[in-house]
C-alpha cells in the first residue's frame, strides 16, 4: 500500500491563497496518477496534526485486522510506504524547534515537526518519506529552517524515515503559482522513465545538479533513509502487486472531522484520466500540455453529453485565460454557456474577461446575462454593487454606475455603502436634490442619536452652502436646510446646535413667528429626554431663548415673563433669568411676581445692590412699608443707599433693642430655619433628639466626664443685675422657648457656651460681659438660645460633624439593623446604639422609623455639614431678629464668637437676603414690631 498524506493550508477567508495552499492542489493531482500509485489523504489544517495521524494509523490497524491471513497482514504492514507532504508557513521557537503553521486564520499556532516525525517512527512499519516545503518569515533564515527540519528527523530510530526539505522566505515567490521545489518535484515525476521509476535520492540529486533550480531555491536538504524510497513505482510485477494491494484495501474515512481520501480516476475512464492529467499540468503552469490533454478529453466526449462537454470547454477557456489569450477564452466560455446556459462560473468569467478587454458594450451584455441567472436578492445585490464599482473606476461611466446602484438600492434601501456612493455620484452629476436625499438617508441610518444629529447638522450646512448656492434658490436651500435641522433635533433633543442654526436663519429673515414655533416644537421634543437632569437643562435653555424672543422681537412682555418663569422653574438658581423675569413682571405691572423673583435673586446674589434697590421700589408700590424699610436697611448696610432709601431707613430705625409685643409661636420657628435645609434628615434627628441627649449624658456618666457646675454661680434673672442674664430671659420669652439656666463665671475666658448637663444650661464668661453694647449682647444671646431648640440641641452634645455622624448612624441602625455602618464609625456607633435604643419611647421609635423610611425613599445623599450650616444660619437669623440692625449682626458675626461650618461672610450674605424675605416680615409682624403703613 502506498499512502500520500498531504498537509497544506486552506485559502484565507477572502479567498487569497495562503503560503503553500496552491502546492497541495498540484501534489494531490500528481501523486494520485497511476504511475505514482498513491492513495492521497488530506488532513484538516485547523486540527492538531499529530492527533489526526494517530487516528489514521488506528484506522489502518483496524483495516488490517479484517484480513483472515495474519501473515498477509504482517506483510502488508511491512510493505506500506508513506509519503508525508507539507507546504506551509513555518516558525522557529527560541530553542530552534520547527513548527508547521497550517491554519491561516491562526498564524501563531503550529504543529511541531518533531512530534509529527515521532508519530511515524512509532506507528509506521514501512518506509517513510517527508517532503517539506517551508515558507518562513523575516525572523528566520532558510538555512536555519532546513537545519531545524533535519534536526527534527534526527533520531536513532529514524532509519526508515527520509527527508527532502526546501526553504524560502514568504513573498519571495509568485503567490499565484506553486512553489519552485514542488513544481520541480512534479516535473521530475513526469520526466522519469516509467520502466525505471524514480527514488527520493534521485529527485534530490536532480534538483541539486540543476543550476536553475539551485538558484531559485534558497536552501534545500536531504536527511535520513537509505535513498531507496520509490516515489514513482517501476513498471512490472512489483508495481502491479502494489496496485492490487491498494485496490484490495480501500481506506475508509477516519470519521467525522477526520482525514478523508481523494479517489484516483478510474483506470477505465480515459476522459477522466486526460482531465486529471490536464489539471496536473495546469497546476504546474504547463498550459500548453494541459490544453493538449483537455482537447484529447473533448474528442472522447460524445456530442450528446452536453454537461460533460461544457465542463471540458470551461477547462480549456480557463487555460486560455491564464495564457492571456482572452478572445479565445471568451469563445471557450461562450461554447460552455451554449451547452449549459445556467453555468454561473462561466458567466462570471465572461464579465471579468470583457472588463479586462475594456469591451464595455459586451461587458454590459454579460452583466445583464449574469444578473438574469441569479435567483437570490443577496447575490444580485452584491453583483450590482461590484459592477457599479467597475463602471465608475475602470470604465469611467458614472451614469452606468449610478443606474446599477439605484437597482441595488431598490433591493436594500438602507445599505450605507450604496447610499454613500449614490450621494457622491448624484453630486458629481449636479443632481443636488438627489444627493442630499441619499446623504440624508445615510445619516438617518446612524444608530447613535448624537452622531446621527451631528451628521444631519453637517448635511444641513452643506444644503445651504457651496454648490447649493448655484443650483437652488435661497428659499429652497434654506427650507431644505431647516428640514434637515429639524430632523437632527428629532434625532437627539439634547443637541441644540441645530436649533441655534435655525434661530440664525429665521432671525435673518425676521420670521419670528416661525422661530417661536421651532422653539415650541423643541419643548415638546425635550419631554422625550429620559435623563431628568438633561431634560431640565434643555427645557431651561429653550424657555430662556423663547423669553428673549418674546421680549426682544415679538414685544410680548407677558409671554416673555411666562417663558422666563418656565426657565427659572427648571433652574431656580438662574440669577439672570430671575432678574429678567422681575424686569418683565414690573413692565407688565405684575409687581407681586416681580418682588418674588427679586427676593429669589437676593438669596442667590446677596451682594447685588441693584436687586435691593428694585425690591425697595417694588415694596413701595405694593405699600409694604415694613419690607421697603428692610430693603432700604440692606442698601444702607452696603453703603449704596439712595436718598429715598436712606430717608425711609432713618425714619423707621428702631431706637435700641426691638420691643416685641408678644412672643413667637412654636410654628414660627419654621420661618427662621433655612428653606433649603434637608428636611428629611432633620426629621430623623428631631425624632431622636431627646433620647440621643439622654444617651450621650449616660455615656459621659460612665466615662465620668460630666462637667460639674457650681450651684453658687447660677444667676437669677429676676435678681441678678447683670444685663446678659436678663437678656437670656427676655430672648427666651420673645422666641417662645424655655430659658436655659445661666451660670456666671467672670473669670472664664469665653463669651457664651452650653454646659452639657441634663438641664439646659449656659455658661457666661468674661468675654460676654466686657466691651459689648446691649444690641451686640442681644445678638449673642439670641444666636445662642437658637441651639436649645428641637434637633438643634444635638449640636450642643455632639458638637463635631464626626460625632453628629455617629449619632445619625446609630439612629439609622436602630431603625434598620441590617444597614451597614462605615468602618471608621463602627466602634462609636455600636457603643452609642444600645444606649439610644433603650431610651427611645414608643412614640419616638415610631417617629424614627417613619423618618428613616422617608429618608431612604428620597435616596438623596446625606449632607450633615449642610444641615449644620443651616442651623448656624438659623442662629444668626434669631440674633438678628432680636436686634433689628444689620450692622450689629454683621459686626458680631465678624468677631467669630462661635466658629462653625460657615464663614462669617456666608452668614452675613444669608442675613441680607433674609432681611427682604416674606419670612422676616411675617416674624416681625408676629412679634408686633413690623412697621405699619
Amino acid at each position: 500500500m502506498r499512502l500520500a498524506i498531504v498537509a497544506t493550508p486552506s485559502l484565507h477567508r477572502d479567498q487569497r491563497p495562503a503560503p503553500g495552499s496552491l502546492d497541495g492542489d498540484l501534489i494531490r493531482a500528481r501523486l494520485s496518477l497511476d504511475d505514482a500509485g498513491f492513495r492521497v489523504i488530506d488532513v484538516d489544517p485547523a486540527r492538531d496534526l499529530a492527533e489526526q495521524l494517530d487516528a489514521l494509523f488506528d484506522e489502518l490497524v483496524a483495516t488490517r485486522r479484517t484480513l483472515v491471513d495474519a501473515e498477509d497482514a504482517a506483510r502488508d504492514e511491512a510493505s506500506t510506504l508513506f509519503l508525508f507532504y507539507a507546504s506551509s508557513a513555518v516558525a522557529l521557537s527560541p530553542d530552534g524547534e520547527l513548527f508547521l503553521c497550517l491554519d491561516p486564520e491562526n498564524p501563531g499556532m503550529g504543529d511541531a515537526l518533531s512530534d509529527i516525525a515521532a508519530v511515524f517512527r512509532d506507528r509506521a512499519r514501512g518506509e517513510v518519506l517527508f517532503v517539506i516545503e517551508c515558507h518562513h518569515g523575516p525572523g528566520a533564515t532558510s538555512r536555519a529552517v532546513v537545519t531545524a527540519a533535519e534536526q527534527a528527523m534526527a533520531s536513532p530510530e529514524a532509519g526508515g524515515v527520509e527527508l527532502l526539505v526546501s526553504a524560502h522566505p514568504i513573498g519571495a515567490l509568485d503567490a499565484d503559482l506553486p512553489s519552485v521545489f514542488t513544481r520541480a518535484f512534479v516535473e521530475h515525476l513526469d520526466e522519469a522513465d516509467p520502466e525505471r521509476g524514480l527514488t527520493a535520492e534521485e529527485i534530490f540529486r536532480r534538483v541539486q545538479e540543476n543550476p536553475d533550480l539551485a538558484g531559485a531555491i534558497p536552501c534545500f536538504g536531504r536527511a535520513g533513509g537509505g535513498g531507496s524510497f520509490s516515489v514513482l513505482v517501476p513498471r512490472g510485477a512489483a508495481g502491479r502487486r502494489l496496485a492490487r494491494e491498494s485496490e484490495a484495501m480501500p481506506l475508509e474515512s477516519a470519521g467525522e472531522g477526520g482525514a478523508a481520501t481523494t479517489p484516483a480516476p478510474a483506470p477505465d475512464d480515459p476522459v477522466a484520466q486526460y482531465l486529471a492529467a490536464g489539471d496536473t499540468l495546469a497546476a504546474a503552469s504547463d498550459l500548453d500540455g494541459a490544453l493538449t490533454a483537455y482537447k484529447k478529453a473533448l474528442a472522447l466526449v460524445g456530442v450528446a453529453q452536453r454537461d460533460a462537454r461544457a465542463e471540458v470547454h470551461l477547462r480549456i477557456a480557463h487555460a486560455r485565460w491564464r495564457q492571456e489569450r482572452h478572445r479565445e477564452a471568451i469563445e471557450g466560455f461562450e461554447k460552455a454557456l451554449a451547452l449549459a446556459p445556467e453555468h454561473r462560473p462561466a458567466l462570471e468569467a465572461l464579465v471579468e474577461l470583457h472588463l479586462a478587454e475594456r469591451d464595455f458594450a459586451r461587458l454590459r451584455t454579460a452583466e445583464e446575462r449574469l444578473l438574469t441567472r441569479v435567483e437570490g436578492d443577496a447575490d444580485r445585490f452584491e453583483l450590482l454593487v461590484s459592477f457599479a464599482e467597475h463602471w465608475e473606476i475602470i470604465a469611467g461611466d458614472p451614469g452606468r454606475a449610478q443606474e446599477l446602484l439605484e437597482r441595488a438600492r431598490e433591493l436594500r434601501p438602507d445599505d450605507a455603502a450604496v447610499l454613500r456612493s449614490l450621494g457622491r455620484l448624484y453630486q458629481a452629476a449636479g443632481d443636488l436634490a438627489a444627493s442630499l436625499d441619499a446623504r440624508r438617508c445615510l445619516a438617518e441610518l446612524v444608530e447613535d442619536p448624537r452622531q446621527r444629529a451631528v451628521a444631519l447638522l453637517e448635511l444641513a450646512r452643506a444644503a445651504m452652502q457651496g454648490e447649493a448656492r448655484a443650483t437652488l434658490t435661497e428659499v429652497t436651500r434654506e427650507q431644505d436646510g431647516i428640514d434637515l435641522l429639524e430632523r437632527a433635533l428629532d434625532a437627539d433633543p439634547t443637541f441644540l446646535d441645530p436649533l441655534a442654526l435655525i434661530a440664525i436663519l429665521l432671525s435673518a429673515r425676521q420670521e419670528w413667528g416661525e422661530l417661536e414655533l421651532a422653539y415650541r416644537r423643541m419643548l415638546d421634543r425635550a419631554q422625550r429626554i429620559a435623563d431628568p437632569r438633561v431634560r431640565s437643562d434643555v427645557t431651561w435653555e429653550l424657555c430662556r431663548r423663547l423669553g428673549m424672543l418674546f421680549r426682544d422681537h415679538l414685544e410680548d412682555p407677558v409671554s416673555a415673563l411666562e417663558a422666563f418663569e418656565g426657565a427659572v422653574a427648571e433652574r431656580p438658581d438662574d440669577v439672570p433669568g430671575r432678574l429678567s423675569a422681575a424686569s418683565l413682571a414690573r413692565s407688565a405691572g405684575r409687581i407681586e411676581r416681580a418682588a418674588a423673583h427679586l427676593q429669589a435673586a437676593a438669596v442667590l446674589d446677596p451682594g447685588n445692590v441693584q436687586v435691593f434697590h428694585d425690591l425697595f421700589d417694588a415694596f413701595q408700590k405694593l405699600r409694604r412699608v415694613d419690607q421697603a424699610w428692610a430693603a432700604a436697611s440692606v442698601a444702607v448696610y452696603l453703603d449704596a443707599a439712595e436718598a429715598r432709601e436712606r430717608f425711609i431707613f432713618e425714619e423707621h430705625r428702631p431706637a435700641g433693642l426691638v420691643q416685641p409685643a408678644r412672643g413667637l409661636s412654636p410654628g414660627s420657628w419654621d420661618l427662621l430655619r433655612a428653606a433649603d435645609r434637608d428636611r428629611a434628615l432633620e426629621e430623623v434627628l428631631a425624632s431622636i433628639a431627646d433620647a440621643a441627649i439622654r444617651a450621650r449624658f449616660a455615656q459621659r456618666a460612665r466615662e465620668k466626664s460630666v462637667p460639674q457646675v457650681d450651684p453658687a454661680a447660677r444667676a437669677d434673672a429676676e435678681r441678678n443685675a447683670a444685663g446678659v442674664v436678663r437678656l437670656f430671659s427676655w430672648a427666651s420669652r420673645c422666641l417662645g422657648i424655655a430659658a436655659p439656666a445661666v451660670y456666671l463665671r467672670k473669670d472664664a475666658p469665653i463669651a457664651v457656651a452650653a454646659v452639657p448637663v441634663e438641664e439646659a444650661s449656659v455658661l457666661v464668661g468674661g468675654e460676654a460681659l466686657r466691651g459689648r453694647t446691649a444690641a451686640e449682647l442681644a445678638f449673642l444671646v439670641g444666636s445662642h438660645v437658637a441651639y436649645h431648640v428641637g434637633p438643634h440641641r444635638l449640636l450642643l452634645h455632639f458638637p463635631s460633624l464626626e460625632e453628629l455622624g455617629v449619632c445619625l448612624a446609630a439612629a439609622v441602625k436602630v431603625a434598620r439593623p441590617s444597614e451597614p455602618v462605615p468602618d471608621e464609625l463602627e466602634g462609636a456607633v455600636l457603643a452609642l446604639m444600645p444606649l439610644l435604643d433603650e431610651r427611645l419611647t414608643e412614640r419616638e421609635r415610631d417617629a424614627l422609623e417613619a423618618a428613616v423610611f422617608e429618608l431612604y425613599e428620597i435616596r438623596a445623599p446625606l449632607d450633615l455639614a449642610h444641615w449644620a450650616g443651616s442651623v448656624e444660619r438659623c442662629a444668626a437669623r434669631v440674633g438678628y431678629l432680636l436686634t433689628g440692625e444689620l450692622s450689629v449682626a454683621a459686626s458680631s458675626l465678624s468677631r467669630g464668637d462661635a466658629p462653625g461650618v460657615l464663614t462669617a461672610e456666608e452668614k452675613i450674605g444669608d442675613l441680607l437676603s433674609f432681611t427682604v424675605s416674606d419670612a422676616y416680615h411675617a416674624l416681625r409682624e408676629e412679634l408686633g414690631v413690623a412697621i405699619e403703613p
Side-chain angles (χ1 to χ4, degrees), residues 652-674:
H652 299 287
R653 185 176 186 176
L657 299 179
V658 295
Q659 300 299 321
R662 50 193 170 273
L664 296 179
S665 64
S668 298
W669 276 89
D670 198 51
L671 298 174
L672 284 163
R673 295 187 174 102

Side-chain angles (χ1 to χ4, degrees), residues 831-859:
L832 179 62
M833 190 181 73
L835 299 174
L836 175 63
D837 191 25
E838 65 189 24
R839 285 165 175 77
L840 282 169
T841 65
E842 287 302 317
R843 183 176 180 181
E844 290 170 338
R845 190 180 302 278
D846 291 343
L848 171 63
E849 291 176 353
V852 169
F853 176 81
E854 183 68 22
L855 184 69
Y856 276 81
E857 280 293 301
I858 296 174
R859 297 183 180 276

Side-chain angles (χ1 to χ4, degrees), residues 826-898:
E826 187 174 12
V829 170
L830 295 180
L832 179 62
M833 190 181 73
L835 299 174
L836 175 63
D837 191 25
E838 65 189 24
R839 285 165 175 77
L840 282 169
T841 65
E842 287 302 317
R843 183 176 180 181
E844 290 170 338
R845 190 180 302 278
D846 291 343
L848 171 63
E849 291 176 353
V852 169
F853 176 81
E854 183 68 22
L855 184 69
Y856 276 81
E857 280 293 301
I858 296 174
R859 297 183 180 276
L862 301 180
D863 191 345
L864 280 174
H866 184 267
W867 181 80
S870 73
V871 175
E872 292 178 12
R873 285 189 281 164
C874 177
R877 291 177 180 186
V878 171
Y880 169 53
L881 179 65
L882 295 179
T883 61
E885 287 201 45
L886 270 174
S887 58
V888 172
S891 63
S892 299
L893 289 171
S894 298
R895 295 179 68 164
D897 290 323

Side-chain angles (χ1 to χ4, degrees), residues 727-809:
L727 281 173
F728 270 102
S729 178
W730 168 78
S732 298
R733 286 196 306 273
C734 292
L735 298 172
I737 61 175
V742 180
Y743 292 85
L744 284 177
R745 283 279 305 275
K746 295 181 180 181
D747 59 334
I750 60 172
V752 176
V755 183
V757 293
E758 287 187 281
E759 182 185 13
S761 302
V762 59
L763 179 65
V764 179
E767 291 292 324
L769 302 174
R770 292 187 294 271
R772 295 180 191 263
T773 65
E776 289 172 338
L777 279 175
F779 181 87
L780 178 66
V781 169
S783 60
H784 179 80
V785 296
Y787 283 91
H788 291 270
V789 177
H792 300 183
R793 295 173 294 155
L794 290 171
L795 290 171
L796 301 177
H797 296 271
F798 301 89
S800 71
L801 289 177
E802 182 179 352
E803 291 174 290
L804 188 62
V806 169
C807 178
L808 175 63

Side-chain angles (χ1 to χ4, degrees), residues 246-297:
S246 296
E247 293 170 5
M249 293 184 60
L251 193 60
E252 299 295 331
S253 171
E256 185 178 354
T261 62
T262 302
D268 58 350
D269 185 354
V271 173
Q273 290 279 357
Y274 283 129
L275 290 176
D279 291 344
T280 302
L281 293 168
S285 296
D286 184 357
L287 299 177
D288 289 333
L291 285 169
T292 300
Y294 293 148
K295 289 176 181 178
K296 291 179 180 179

Side-chain angles (χ1 to χ4, degrees), residues 410-686:
E410 292 175 1
L411 297 174
R412 292 187 191 172
D414 295 335
D415 186 85
V418 169
L419 290 170
R420 191 177 297 110
S421 297
L422 277 173
R424 185 184 66 254
L425 290 170
Y426 287 140
Q427 186 169 11
D431 190 348
L432 188 62
S435 175
L436 291 174
D437 178 69
R439 292 163 67 187
R440 175 188 59 77
C441 293
L442 178 63
E444 290 180 344
L445 293 177
V446 178
E447 293 185 3
D448 181 75
R450 173 55 60 87
Q451 293 180 8
R452 183 163 68 253
V454 170
L456 288 166
L457 171 61
E458 293 304 317
L459 187 57
R461 287 174 174 157
M464 295 180 287
Q465 297 172 0
E467 202 171 315
R469 293 186 179 275
T471 57
L472 302 175
T473 66
E474 180 178 358
V475 174
T476 300
R477 70 171 185 264
E478 288 190 356
Q479 190 55 53
D480 288 345
I482 290 173
D483 290 344
L484 289 167
L485 293 170
E486 291 280 359
R487 290 176 182 271
L489 293 171
D490 285 334
D492 184 2
T494 68
F495 183 52
L496 298 184
D497 287 9
L499 184 64
L501 188 51
I502 289 176
I504 292 172
L505 292 170
L506 295 178
S507 297
R509 288 153 49 176
Q510 296 190 359
E511 294 183 4
W512 309 120
E514 289 298 321
L515 183 54
E516 177 195 351
L517 293 176
Y519 285 150
R520 294 202 181 280
R521 285 193 297 271
M522 194 61 213
L523 280 170
D524 292 338
R525 292 187 187 99
Q527 304 313 306
R528 305 200 314 264
I529 300 174
D531 188 327
R533 181 175 299 178
V534 176
R535 182 171 63 247
S536 178
D537 288 344
V538 171
T539 303
W540 168 79
E541 176 64 22
L542 292 169
C543 288
R544 188 182 68 84
R545 294 186 185 192
L546 194 57
M548 290 189 292
L549 174 65
F550 280 121
R551 181 191 65 190
D552 301 337
H553 299 291
L554 294 175
E555 298 181 358
D556 184 350
V558 174
S559 297
L561 174 60
E562 291 177 355
F564 276 111
E565 287 182 336
V568 297
E570 297 296 334
R571 191 176 291 181
D573 59 351
D574 176 15
V575 175
R578 289 285 185 186
L579 295 178
S580 295
S583 176
L584 288 163
R586 291 169 66 192
S587 300
R590 301 184 180 186
I591 309 303
E592 290 276 2
R593 288 164 74 172
H597 289 300
L598 288 168
Q599 288 170 313
V603 173
L604 299 169
D605 188 9
N608 189 337
V609 176
Q610 188 60 46
V611 170
F612 298 100
H613 290 324
D614 293 341
L615 273 170
F616 175 80
D617 180 67
F619 289 144
Q620 286 274 71
K621 290 178 179 178
L622 292 169
R623 301 183 63 80
R624 297 184 190 175
V625 180
D626 188 61
Q627 288 183 283
W629 173 83
S633 66
V634 176
V636 170
Y637 169 75
L638 294 174
D639 197 21
E642 297 173 352
R644 180 64 179 166
E645 292 167 337
R646 186 169 295 280
F647 174 80
I648 293 294
F649 173 73
E650 294 295 345
E651 183 182 8
H652 299 287
R653 185 176 186 176
L657 299 179
V658 295
Q659 300 299 321
R662 50 193 170 273
L664 296 179
S665 64
S668 298
W669 276 89
D670 198 51
L671 298 174
L672 284 163
R673 295 187 174 102
D676 64 344
R677 69 190 185 278
D678 189 335
R679 296 173 186 268
L681 173 60
E682 189 168 83
E683 285 297 320
V684 174
L685 296 175

